[in-house]
């Protein structure tokens, strides 16, 4: 895409508002990528040229990645999505100028509505010890990232936590009522929230649940009423194969309603659609973008594991007798499919330096001199004015 440079000077306050308004996130959870690469899978651009995945995402117009973190997956699954693996992927994302979301599962394997299994290393802990473990684990991963200059914009404390997390202590107990039902989950979730804020005060903490098309206001209303803390709502949205248009419409309505009720942004942190017909998948994703991108309070959309293609599946899936994931957004040739086209926000060139003598005295937002200003960035030119480059 050819990007024409425009230079304009605006006040600090107006610039901040404009930047926020235009920062719709178009991301992808690519947590499997290192495991796929270790299995010999490669990724290619539209011309068939082998391309590093994070670079390929950027060139495809995406601007963020989401990376899950398991506590100790090595004993069963293998050394993937642990701290070291997350660091390796986050470095690659940073090198391409991609923003990062960290998704803590607080488990040794997938945490979702059907399983919120306590990590083996945390077995037998009291509630106080579990809160400490959540805080320590969260702090450890985030400090490791921060030490390398990687500061995630968003952090999920738990994954699809509709039933709670870290069972049984953090399970929402529907045999009880009111605060008693929620206390364990709220306590553990807040331990994660506080740990995030201690390391990354500016990060937005997400509480994430599934079933985006449904009316989920009750969940966040009760969670907040009984002391739960969050800066952003995260939803999973996997449209029905046949009734996808209705599901897209309903999720868009829920996003608008949740923002109105809770005054926090709403992010679609997971979405995907059947990969076998990329034209149909394109139609579904485009329709979803058309219905959500203009909603005030909708922060963005992340595709879940688009890089999966062919019949690839994790080795551990074979042990469990599970089939391969069927909602990838790459072709069988390892190239981005049409399903990813709606995610193209024109961010290719995000790292491209801009040469202009008028920009010789630029400073970043921390006041540090910038020798080579880059596109899609905001800079201070003097004490009164800021410059945005597009």
């Amino acid at each position: 895409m050819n990007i024409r440079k425009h230079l304009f000077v605006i006040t600090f306050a107006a610039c901040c508002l404009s930047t926020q308004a235009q920062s719709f996130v178009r991301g992808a959870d690519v947590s499997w990528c290192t495991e796929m690469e270790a299995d010999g899978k490669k990724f290619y651009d539209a011309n068939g040229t082998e391309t590093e995945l994070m670079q390929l995402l950027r060139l495809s117009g995406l601007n963020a990645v989401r990376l899950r973190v398991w506590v100790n997956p090595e004993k069963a699954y293998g050394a993937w999505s642990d701290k070291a693996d997350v660091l390796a992927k986050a470095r690659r994302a940073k090198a391409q100028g991609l923003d990062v979301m960290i998704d803590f599962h607080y488990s040794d394997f997938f945490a979702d509505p059907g399983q919120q299994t306590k990590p083996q290393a945390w077995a037998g802990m009291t509630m106080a010890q579990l809160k400490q473990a959540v805080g320590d684990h969260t702090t450890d991963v985030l400090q490791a990232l921060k030490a390398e200059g990687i500061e995630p914009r968003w952090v999920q404390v738990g994954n699809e936590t509709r039933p709670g997390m870290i069972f049984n202590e953090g399970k929402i107990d529907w045999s009880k009522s009111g605060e008693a039902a929620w206390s364990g989950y709220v306590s553990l979730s807040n331990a994660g929230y506080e740990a995030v804020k201690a390391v990354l005060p500016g990060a937005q903490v997400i509480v994430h649940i599934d079933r985006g098309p449904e009316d989920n206001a009750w969940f966040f209303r009760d969670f907040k009423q009984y002391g739960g803390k969050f800066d952003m709502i995260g939803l999973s949205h996997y449209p029905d194969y046949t009734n996808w248009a209705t599901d897209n419409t309903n999720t868009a309505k829920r996003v608008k309603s949740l923002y109105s009720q809770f005054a926090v942004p709403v992010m679609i942190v997971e979405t995907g659609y059947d990969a076998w017909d990329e034209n149909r998948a394109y139609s579904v994703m485009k329709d979803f973008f058309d219905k959500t991108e203009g909603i005030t309070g909708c922060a963005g959309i992340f595709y879940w594991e688009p890089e999966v293609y062919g019949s690839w599946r994790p080795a551990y899936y074979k042990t469990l007798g599970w089939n391969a994931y069927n909602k990838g957004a790459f072709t069988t040739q390892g190239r981005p499919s049409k399903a990813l086209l709606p995610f193209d926000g024109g961010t290719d060139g995000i790292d491209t330096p801009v040469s202009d003598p008028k920009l010789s005295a630029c400073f970043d937002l921390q006041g540090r001199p910038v020798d080579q200003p880059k596109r899609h960035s905001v800079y201070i030119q003097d004490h009164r004015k800021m410059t945005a480059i597009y």
Side-chain angles (χ1 to χ4, degrees), residues 20-342:
Q20 290 173 353
Q22 298 177 15
S23 61
F24 193 83
V25 180
R26 300 164 182 266
D29 188 315
V30 290
S31 299
W32 267 325
C33 73
T34 44
E35 188 175 359
M36 291 181 67
E37 290 162 351
D39 282 348
K41 289 291 186 181
K42 301 179 184 298
F43 307 101
Y44 305 88
D45 66 14
N47 297 318
T49 302
E50 184 178 339
T51 307
E52 190 271 330
L53 180 61
M54 302 297 179
Q55 181 184 14
L56 185 56
L57 294 175
R58 176 176 63 79
L59 294 174
S60 298
L62 283 75
N63 55 20
V65 296
R66 176 178 183 253
L67 303 173
R68 65 173 162 268
V69 187
W70 292 330
V71 176
N72 184 26
E74 288 83 353
K75 289 185 178 179
Y77 186 91
W80 306 107
S81 291
D82 61 3
K83 181 175 75 171
D85 185 44
V86 169
L87 281 169
K89 289 175 287 198
R91 292 184 195 108
R92 292 165 55 178
K94 180 190 176 186
Q96 295 299 324
L98 300 170
D99 286 323
V100 174
M101 176 189 295
I102 295 297
D103 174 17
F104 284 99
H105 283 232
Y106 301 118
S107 182
D108 294 335
F109 188 48
F110 285 112
D112 55 44
Q115 54 185 4
Q116 295 282 340
T117 307
K118 186 186 305 177
Q120 290 185 25
W122 300 0
M125 288 186 175
T126 64
M127 174 57 80
Q129 290 170 330
L130 283 174
K131 289 169 61 177
Q132 185 67 46
V134 167
D136 289 347
H137 172 61
T138 305
T139 299
D140 180 44
V141 173
L142 296 182
Q143 282 187 338
L145 289 162
K146 188 175 182 179
E148 298 198 25
I150 304 166
E151 297 197 13
R153 283 184 61 185
W154 318 273
V155 180
Q156 276 188 222
V157 288
N159 189 75
E160 294 188 330
T161 57
R162 180 181 297 272
M165 62 193 238
I166 312 176
F167 287 0
N168 285 316
E169 288 80 359
K171 186 176 184 178
I172 301 173
D173 187 350
W174 297 118
S175 68
K176 301 176 182 177
S177 60
E179 185 175 1
W182 288 79
S183 62
Y185 168 50
V186 167
S187 294
L188 292 172
S189 183
N190 283 353
Y193 182 97
E194 299 297 344
V196 174
K197 292 299 186 179
V199 180
L200 302 170
Q204 290 183 292
V205 179
I206 299 173
V207 169
H208 168 213
I209 63 174
D210 61 322
R211 306 201 316 239
E214 296 184 8
D215 183 357
N216 295 296
W218 66 269
F219 179 93
F220 295 99
R221 182 177 58 249
D222 287 0
F223 180 74
K224 183 176 181 179
Q225 178 180 350
Y226 300 123
K229 301 176 183 179
F230 57 97
D231 306 318
M232 180 179 281
I233 289 171
L235 298 176
S236 292
H237 169 64
Y238 292 97
D240 180 77
Y241 182 79
T242 303
N243 297 316
W244 55 266
T246 299
D247 279 355
N248 284 351
T249 297
N250 286 338
T251 295
K253 288 180 179 178
R254 303 312 181 194
V255 169
K256 186 175 182 179
S257 176
L258 287 168
Y259 176 72
S260 175
Q261 292 181 65
F262 298 99
V264 298
V266 181
M267 184 85 82
I268 307 301
V269 298
E270 293 184 22
T271 193
Y273 189 77
D274 198 295
W276 80 272
D277 184 341
E278 63 176 295
N279 292 308
R280 186 183 179 100
Y282 164 78
S283 297
V284 175
M285 288 296 112
K286 184 178 186 305
D287 178 75
F288 189 48
F289 268 89
D290 289 345
K291 289 174 176 173
T292 56
E293 189 172 2
I295 296 175
T296 300
C298 186
I301 301 172
F302 282 76
Y303 200 105
W304 199 78
E305 301 283 12
E307 80 282 11
V308 174
Y309 68 91
S311 58
W312 184 85
R313 58 177 171 166
Y316 191 56
Y317 274 31
K318 300 170 188 176
T319 302
L320 296 173
W322 290 8
N323 295 323
Y325 176 62
N326 67 350
K327 291 182 172 63
F330 273 48
T331 69
T332 54
Q333 291 78 40
R335 306 176 187 183
S337 77
K338 292 178 182 178
L340 273 191
L341 287 177

Side-chain angles (χ1 to χ4, degrees), residues 4-27:
R4 188 161 59 93
K5 182 179 71 176
H6 298 280
L7 181 66
F8 58 94
V9 180
I10 50 185
T11 66
F12 181 90
C15 180
C16 288
L17 290 173
S18 175
T19 301
Q20 290 173 353
Q22 298 177 15
S23 61
F24 193 83
V25 180
R26 300 164 182 266

